[in-house]
Amino acid sequence: MAAALVLAQLRAQATDADTVPPLGLVYLTDHYAEHAQAILDHLGAELPQVTDWVGAVGVGICASGVEYWDEPALTVMLCDVAPERFRVFNGVAPLSATQSADGFEAQTALVHADPAIPDLDELVRELAERTLGHYLFGGLVASRAGSLQVARSSRGAVAGQGRCAAEGLFQGGLSGVAFGPDVGIVSRVTQGVRPVGSARRVTAADGPLVLALDGEPALDVLLHDLALPSHDLPAIVARLRQVLVGLQAPPAAAATPRPGRVPLRLGDDVLVRHIVGLDPAQRAFLVADHVAPGTLLTLCERHVQAARADLVRICAEIRDALGADEEALRAPVEASARVAGAVYVSCNGRGGGHFGAPSAELQIIRQALGEVPLVGFFAAGEIAHHRVYGYTGVLTVFVAD
């Protein structure tokens, strides 16, 4: 029934029955996970002109102006992109590091990845290097059904690789679709946290263990900046459950950050990670990532108003990048005429009522960009540039030719 309703809506929007876009993006919640293959086969049979399908299964998915969180849901967007302008890839047929035999070169790529695969950060960076723009957008797929991904290509399966590639469903690994240089996109990252302390330079670290900040024992600096008494362990643990760290690689010619200066917001060069442990013996603490000496570390916390404001900011930046004039900025419908479609990947921690009401996050985007076709999902980590983020949203729009 869900597939039938989606098909009816797509057909109602079709302007020419003889031309159907060749690429479909499909996202479904894990309530439909056991039926994913049947849904994909049904969509393919009903829309035979759509030769390639890409997508994922998640706890939550989104469409234009609405999110579906922990309920049965299916969303599909058809992309009118010529076959020579995109390539579907997966673990069986990976994205080529060089120009393909038919001359295709990837400028950017929509990526779905398994959060449990080893060396994930390195694999994401390597994949980004296979694109001319060194830019990816997407997220880590996580649901109660595992990391189930859709990547069905009209170019067929690699010989000897079995049924998986032909059927188009993959469990784990990386998959997605790469776009050529003549497919225009504008993409931005929005943070979901606000700083609660000044930037500190990591002066000693051992992997995830932060030993010193600005030359002082890291744990002592952490407790000082949060105004926590060193003797009250329950209070420390309770507060640190609410605190995250923003990690930023130092600029090539960076000066030592001035003490006491708290940034107004964290940019997309900051990776937000959890504090996962304390080491009182070494006066150190652990974070959920490798930390190199010289990294700038900022204490931060999730904050609804900051997240809303930053989402509005990136929507305004996208409108500016599309060349909207002042009149169009006051009338989002004018700016939306330049947008052919959009993909939004948001953190699982932002889904549901985090923004104050159901679908409030998607309503902000609709209000800012107007009625543009949009699909996406809620991820266990967001991918943008060549990095894996947390507590962020990645909004990518396709620019109309």
Side-chain angles (χ1 to χ4, degrees):
M1 180 60 71
L5 291 171
V6 164
L7 288 165
Q9 294 174 60
L10 290 171
R11 287 166 176 154
Q13 297 175 57
T15 56
D16 186 345
D18 295 327
T19 60
V20 177
L23 174 64
L25 303 184
V26 53
Y27 295 99
L28 55 157
T29 59
D30 54 14
H31 290 259
Y32 288 150
E34 63 178 306
H35 306 294
Q37 188 66 63
I39 289 173
L40 182 59
D41 291 342
H42 182 65
L43 292 174
E46 291 293 316
L47 299 170
Q49 300 95 328
V50 183
T51 56
D52 296 69
W53 293 90
V54 171
V57 175
V59 176
I61 64 174
C62 56
S64 304
V66 62
E67 66 184 40
Y68 301 94
W69 187 258
D70 195 19
E71 62 178 302
L74 167 69
T75 182
V76 174
M77 184 167 73
L78 303 184
C79 304
D80 191 9
V81 181
E84 65 271 14
R85 301 169 77 181
F86 69 86
R87 287 290 182 279
V88 172
F89 61 90
N90 50 54
V92 173
L95 183 64
S96 174
T98 59
Q99 187 180 75
S100 63
D102 59 1
F104 176 81
E105 287 186 288
Q107 175 69 28
T108 186
L110 167 61
V111 181
H112 307 114
D114 180 359
I117 57 177
D119 302 321
L120 175 62
D121 291 339
E122 289 77 6
L123 290 174
V124 169
R125 282 194 292 269
E126 180 186 353
L127 184 60
E129 290 172 358
R130 298 189 177 199
T131 67
L132 296 175
H134 286 198
Y135 192 92
L136 308 176
F137 61 99
L140 308 186
V141 179
S143 73
R144 287 161 292 203
S147 177
L148 193 59
Q149 305 165 32
V150 176
R152 176 182 287 181
S153 173
S154 59
R155 299 178 182 274
V158 176
Q161 296 297 329
R163 296 172 51 194
C164 188
E167 294 178 344
L169 278 182
F170 293 83
Q171 186 77 45
L174 292 91
S175 67
V177 55
F179 297 99
D182 50 355
V183 178
I185 73 160
V186 179
S187 188
R188 293 291 187 273
V189 177
T190 176
Q191 297 279 9
V193 299
R194 69 172 181 181
V196 294
S198 58
R200 302 283 191 174
R201 187 175 300 280
V202 177
T203 49
D206 182 9
L209 186 65
V210 181
L211 295 164
L213 295 171
D214 294 339
E216 300 292 331
L219 182 56
D220 294 345
V221 175
L222 176 69
L223 298 179
H224 173 270
D225 286 359
L226 295 175
L228 291 172
S230 59
H231 61 276
D232 192 347
L233 184 59
I236 293 172
V237 172
R239 181 69 177 104
L240 292 185
R241 283 177 177 161
Q242 309 299 322
V243 175
L244 305 158
V245 296
L247 304 176
Q248 179 184 12
T256 301
R258 285 176 283 176
R261 288 188 60 83
V262 180
L264 296 177
R265 68 175 185 86
L266 301 179
D268 61 6
D269 56 347
V270 174
L271 302 180
V272 176
R273 297 293 186 260
H274 285 279
I275 298 174
V276 295
L278 303 177
D279 186 345
Q282 299 189 72
R283 308 305 297 164
F285 61 89
L286 291 116
V287 301
D289 204 341
H290 180 89
V291 182
T295 299
L296 298 182
L297 184 149
T298 304
L299 299 176
C300 51
E301 64 184 1
R302 297 177 65 195
H303 192 267
V304 174
Q305 281 69 40
R308 292 174 67 96
D310 204 53
L311 183 55
V312 171
R313 176 190 64 82
I314 68 161
C315 289
E317 287 187 2
I318 288 173
R319 294 199 311 251
D320 290 345
L322 295 175
D325 55 28
E326 288 300 318
E327 182 177 352
L329 292 177
R330 292 190 295 271
V333 67
E334 297 295 332
S336 70
R338 300 170 173 85
V339 180
V343 175
Y344 187 55
V345 180
S346 186
C347 178
N348 279 337
R350 295 161 61 104
H354 177 65
F355 274 73
S359 300
E361 184 176 9
L362 277 299
Q363 290 292 336
I364 292 172
I365 297 174
R366 170 184 272 176
Q367 183 176 4
L369 296 184
E371 285 288 347
V372 302
L374 180 148
V375 294
F377 71 106
F378 290 88
E382 303 71 61
I383 296 173
H385 303 280
H386 58 276
R387 307 182 184 97
V388 179
Y389 290 83
Y391 295 106
T392 61
V394 180
L395 177 59
T396 305
V397 303
F398 295 94
V399 183
D401 287 339

